[in-house]
Amino acid sequence: MDILLMGPPGAGKGTQGALLAENLQLPKFATGDLLRDAVKRGTPLGQRAKAVMEAGHLVSDDIILGIVREELAKPEASQGVIFDGVVRTIPQAEGVDRLLLERGRRMDAVLFFDVTDEEILSRLAKRRDVEKRADDDPAALATRLSAYRKQTA
Ligand code: ADP
């Protein structure tokens, strides 16, 4: 089963996605986690994504679809995937559909996490203290929320 989680930053996709993944025995795949790890390790992908991510902008559709293609090729992804924050633009939605179709699959469910801006800002202020993510600072966060509204919502 393939399930897509959508919603603004801080809506709880990561938290609920981990529970779903455990219950359904499926891998959870978060482009944000994969990109952060690439930045930390300084891989070529990380070097391309670092500045864009830190400013709170979206990484290019080509990069994201390349990552999704690699993820779907893994044996552990053969029974389905919990996609967390993977689709943020229309070309990404079309691309993920196409990549699944190549494997005879389609997105079985899309869960939308609907959370008010006020709640998001309060949650992310707390997360910033705990995780110390560079892109939770107020300027980058404002850019991320605006990217969500303009390109994803
Ligand atoms: P959040 O959803 O809380 O903003 P993520 O950890 O999901 O945080 O993503 C962090 C950053 O990684 C995003 O701000 C963006 O720069 C990049 N990113 C992650 N997924 C995508 C995607 N599907 N398309 C474009 N950029 C992405």
Side-chain angles (χ1 to χ4, degrees):
M1 179 150 56
D2 291 290
I3 302 179
L4 178 68
L5 311 183
M6 293 199 77
K13 304 182 295 290
T15 306
Q16 300 304 325
L19 292 169
L20 268 177
E22 196 186 320
N23 271 286
L24 298 172
Q25 291 290 298
L26 290 173
K28 178 169 95 79
F29 167 52
T31 32
D33 290 346
L34 188 145
L35 288 166
R36 256 188 304 283
D37 183 60
V39 169
K40 202 158 66 187
R41 289 189 291 121
T43 64
L45 170 66
Q47 287 168 23
R48 281 174 76 191
K50 187 170 192 282
V52 177
M53 286 178 75
E54 284 180 358
H57 294 295
L58 293 184
V59 171
S60 77
D61 293 335
D62 282 354
I63 291 185
I64 296 297
L65 290 173
I67 298 173
V68 176
R69 178 183 289 280
E70 278 179 28
E71 196 61 26
L72 283 175
K74 292 182 181 167
E76 57 269 32
S78 65
Q79 298 305 308
V81 174
I82 310 290
F83 294 92
D84 166 5
V86 173
V87 169
R88 299 191 193 200
T89 64
I90 290 172
Q92 287 182 27
E94 292 168 347
V96 169
D97 263 354
R98 210 166 38 240
L99 290 171
L100 282 173
L101 200 62
E102 281 172 13
R103 295 175 180 274
R105 284 153 57 179
R106 61 192 291 271
M107 204 56 85
D108 293 291
V110 180
L111 303 183
F112 174 55
F113 291 64
D114 193 6
V115 180
T116 62
D117 278 8
E118 198 186 7
E119 177 66 25
I120 283 166
L121 291 171
S122 118
R123 286 188 196 175
L124 291 183
K126 286 183 209 145
R127 180 168 85 183
R128 185 171 167 231
D129 292 338
V130 178
E131 294 183 14
K132 308 215 169 2
R133 263 173 61 170
D135 63 350
D136 279 342
D137 83 68
L141 179 55
T143 309
R144 281 158 67 210
L145 283 174
S146 142
Y148 175 76
R149 282 193 211 99
K150 285 194 201 129
Q151 294 169 271
T152 307

